[in-house]
Amino acid sequence: MRLSDLVDVPAGAGAAAPDVTGFAIDSRKVAPGTVFGAFHGSAFNGEDFIPAAVAAGAVAVIARPDARVEGALHIAAAEPRRRFAELAARFFAPYPETVVAVTGTNGKTSTVEMTRQLWRMAGQRSASVGTLGVTTADDQVKTGLTTPDIVTFLSNLSGLRTMGITHVAYEASSHGLDQYRSEGLTVSAAAFTNFSRDHLDYHGTMEAYFEAKMRLFDEVVDDHGTAVVWTGDPKSADVIACARRRGLKVMTVGPGGETIDLKSRSASPLGQTLVLGHGGKDWTLKLPLIGAYQAANVLVSAGLVLATGGEWTQTFAGLGRLSPVRGRLERAVITPAGAPVYIDYAHTPDALEAAISALRPHVEGRLITMFGAGGDRDKGKRPQMGRVAAAGSDLVIVTDDNPRTEDPAMIRREVLAGAPGAREIGGRREAIAFAIGEAREGDIVLLAGKGHETVQVIGTQVMPFDDAEVARECAA
Ligand SMILES: CC(=O)N[C@H]1[C@@H](OP(=O)(O)OP(=O)(O)OC[C@H]2O[C@@H](n3ccc(=O)[nH]c3=O)[C@H](O)[C@@H]2O)O[C@H](CO)[C@@H](O)[C@@H]1O[C@H](C)C(=O)N[C@@H](C)C(=O)N[C@H](CCC(=O)O)C(=O)O
Ligand SMILES: Nc1ncnc2c1ncn2[C@@H]1O[C@H](COP(=O)(O)OP(=O)(O)OP(=O)(O)O)[C@@H](O)[C@H]1O
Ligand SMILES: N[C@H](CCC[C@H](N)C(=O)O)C(=O)O
Ligand SMILES: [Mg+2]
């Protein structure tokens, strides 16, 4: 591709139409022929690296109008990240023909993964992209962040198309939306799961956090796209209003939903029975997953499948055959005393409440909840998580969950402020061993916060740690 295929190259501008060989947002990844994006970040100002990028062979630099660019074409843009996404998307095209995105505080990973499974059961070649990495029927490749950088995102999507994947569901995190990290390609449908407190360290206020999420409906999804909205959230009406303002087709799912009405839900030992209304008919099905939150996520997934041409009887039949998602109410082991131990990725107050209420109906004795809160992340959620755990559990153990560069004892103190009666055990392994040792027959142990994670980050050290594995070791 020539630079002039992407942008107007002014006549007489040195190399009039050089070949573009790639796109980079990091000067250290620039090779001859690269288009470099110079962005203001939280740690660095990418504009400081423009000379290094040009020296490494950048043919063009996308940067604010007043940035200094010498020796390469300056593609000036008031919002360089947005312009970069647009141009890079043209470079990496084509993409899978059906791409959908999911936003919300909790449930994104679960929803994209269930969407992938439903499509697969309907015979489509599908993938999901998000916190678990890039997942296809045959493989799972980790990427590190929920929404990796825009270059990784677009090249992954393009790679999936090359592999023959036609359907992709991806997570649109609020950080990713705010930083234009997952867009530029045609997104046919966008879903909203729910909204509650998280990431205020980054967004500052709940309003700014919500606005970041709404970019998915305001700007990212295609003009002719569909919004799939869970009905059961206090913010659902705002999302619907936003989608209608944009002229999107709106499909609502959940209690009272127009597309899928969740008429009733009853827990059974191994899952739950749902009665769904669709197109004037009722459909009863057994979902092999427990908890209201999992029912909510699968209905949003079903909505996305219907929004992209799925046939409803096949889609609903698929719900009964879904496999669990790693680290989301995953039963890791049963202790020698007979108590099941569940791993769950709840790391917000709302998620912890959802995980606790999912397990509650199955508890005959005590619910023993162990959790912590991540360092270098939203501090205000810590006492709230403490309160939710204390209110819903019979025994609470506060431990460490990726303290990162913060003092772990300080984080625990902030959590304990909301759960004064809780037991404090710093080391996560010791805390898991204690929880498992305490559990008697009829009790349930919930190990929350890390889910699928396989590391514990202490300071800048990244140590192997997998709750499920440690639980099995402690129960052996
Ligand atoms: C706060 C935040 O979101 N930071 C992300 C952001 O970095 P940034 O734009 O602030 O970058 P920066 O380090 O200040 O540097 C500015 C620019 O200079 C460039 N640079 C820097 C050094 C150099 O030598 N040359 C150079 O060109 C950088 O590549 C960058 O473009 O963009 C980077 C690439 O796109 C991300 O890797 C980085 O994620 C950091 C590591 C992170 O921890 N992010 C977390 C908080 C995150 O995004 N989490 C969400 C989870 C949300 C959820 O699931 O709920 C996620 O989507 O994963
Ligand atoms: N619909 C929901 N309502 C409330 N809580 C939920 C819902 N879905 C998931 N959760 C809780 O949130 C946890 C994380 O779920 P999931 O990984 O699907 O969310 P996510 O939005 O991808 O999270 P992240 O922002 O970290 O990527 C679950 O383990 C569960 O405790
Ligand atoms: N165990 C985790 C969950 C992190 C979830 C992630 N989405 C984030 O907040 O960046 C932690 O707090 O370290
Ligand atoms: Mg996720």
Side-chain angles (χ1 to χ4, degrees):
M1 181 181 274
R2 290 289 180 107
L3 189 54
S4 50
D5 296 328
L6 286 173
V7 285
D8 289 336
V9 179
D19 271 333
V20 173
T21 58
F23 273 71
I25 63 167
D26 187 325
S27 56
R28 293 161 292 194
K29 295 190 179 156
V30 170
T34 302
V35 175
F36 175 63
F39 310 146
H40 269 278
S42 51
F44 296 102
N45 177 1
E47 292 170 3
D48 295 342
F49 305 105
I50 294 173
V54 174
V59 287
V61 177
I62 305 176
R64 290 176 315 132
D66 50 358
R68 259 178 91 86
V69 180
E70 283 165 9
L73 179 71
H74 182 182
I75 303 174
E79 187 35 87
R81 290 180 192 262
R82 181 200 300 262
R83 185 79 174 123
F84 186 93
E86 272 166 30
L87 297 180
R90 279 161 54 191
F91 177 78
F92 286 107
Y95 304 101
E97 62 209 36
T98 303
V99 176
V100 304
V102 178
T103 199
T105 303
N106 294 307
K108 300 180 294 296
T109 298
S110 309
T111 303
V112 297
E113 178 46 23
M114 302 294 186
T115 307
R116 178 192 73 78
Q117 290 187 30
L118 291 174
W119 274 330
R120 177 172 154 77
M121 286 186 255
Q124 309 288 5
R125 299 201 59 188
S126 56
S128 65
V129 175
T131 312
L132 298 177
V134 179
T135 308
T136 59
D138 316 308
D139 211 1
Q140 187 164 77
V141 180
K142 291 191 178 170
T143 52
L145 290 173
T146 290
T147 323
D149 65 89
I150 177 82
V151 176
T152 311
F153 175 78
L154 292 171
S155 56
N156 281 344
L157 270 278
S158 161
L160 287 170
R161 155 91 181 216
T162 310
M163 284 166 57
I165 299 289
T166 55
H167 287 63
V168 176
Y170 78 88
E171 277 184 70
S173 72
S174 60
H175 292 79
L177 286 163
D178 193 53
Q179 296 165 16
Y180 306 86
R181 270 194 235 156
S182 57
E183 57 195 71
L185 71 189
T186 304
V187 176
S188 333
F192 169 78
T193 57
N194 50 63
F195 181 74
S196 65
R197 180 185 184 119
D198 201 7
H199 303 312
L200 293 197
D201 54 320
Y202 180 83
H203 296 287
T205 62
M206 290 293 276
E207 289 70 30
Y209 175 36
F210 187 68
E211 281 314 304
K213 292 207 168 295
M214 285 308 97
R215 268 205 70 239
L216 181 60
F217 302 92
D218 276 337
E219 296 177 5
V220 175
V221 68
D222 189 60
D223 287 339
H224 307 289
T226 303
V228 175
V229 183
W230 168 250
T231 55
D233 192 89
K235 282 285 190 189
S236 303
D238 290 356
V239 180
I240 293 169
C242 168
R244 291 212 202 282
R245 271 198 307 276
R246 173 83 193 286
L248 302 176
K249 180 174 173 213
V250 174
M251 290 172 62
T252 53
V253 301
E258 282 168 13
T259 306
I260 305 176
D261 181 4
L262 175 57
K263 294 189 162 178
S264 77
R265 198 182 70 75
S266 47
S268 59
L270 292 177
Q272 50 195 316
T273 303
L274 307 182
V275 179
L276 305 178
H278 173 79
K281 294 199 185 82
D282 280 0
W283 182 279
T284 302
L285 65 92
K286 287 197 188 317
L287 188 67
L289 306 166
I290 64 167
Y293 92 69
Q294 303 222 74
N297 297 338
V298 304
L299 293 191
V300 175
S301 301
L304 282 170
V305 172
L306 297 180
T308 49
E311 196 270 320
W312 77 274
T313 48
Q314 189 175 46
T315 307
F316 284 8
L319 294 178
R321 295 171 45 221
L322 286 168
S323 303
V325 180
R326 174 90 231 267
R328 277 67 182 167
L329 289 175
E330 170 187 353
R331 203 176 69 201
V333 71
I334 298 184
T335 71
V341 179
Y342 284 89
I343 309 295
D344 190 78
Y345 193 46
H347 52 268
T348 70
D350 203 51
L352 201 50
E353 192 167 18
I356 288 172
S357 39
L359 293 175
R360 233 331 135 192
H362 303 270
V363 179
E364 289 161 10
R366 295 177 305 165
L367 178 62
I368 303 176
T369 302
M370 185 217 74
F371 75 104
D376 303 332
R377 296 283 189 274
D378 186 6
K379 291 188 190 252
K381 73 179 176 183
R382 295 174 188 169
Q384 297 187 5
M385 289 173 75
R387 274 193 285 282
V388 163
S393 324
D394 303 291
L395 172 62
V396 176
I397 301 153
V398 174
T399 188
D400 298 333
D401 178 352
N402 296 331
R404 303 194 176 85
T405 64
E406 282 191 65
D407 173 9
M410 195 64 129
I411 302 175
R412 292 197 301 272
R413 199 169 315 150
E414 289 172 18
V415 175
L416 284 159
R423 177 95 185 210
E424 179 183 359
I425 304 179
R428 197 167 176 97
R429 178 179 287 272
E430 291 70 44
I432 292 177
F434 177 80
I436 286 178
E438 271 291 305
R440 299 285 157 261
E441 191 170 4
D443 292 352
I444 287 185
V445 178
L446 167 61
L447 307 177
K450 291 188 88 63
H452 63 281
E453 290 179 357
T454 51
V455 295
Q456 176 81 315
V457 187
I458 304 174
T460 49
Q461 272 193 305
V462 180
M463 333 269 242
F465 199 99
D466 179 331
D467 276 0
E469 216 175 270
V470 174
R472 284 192 280 271
E473 285 164 15
C474 293

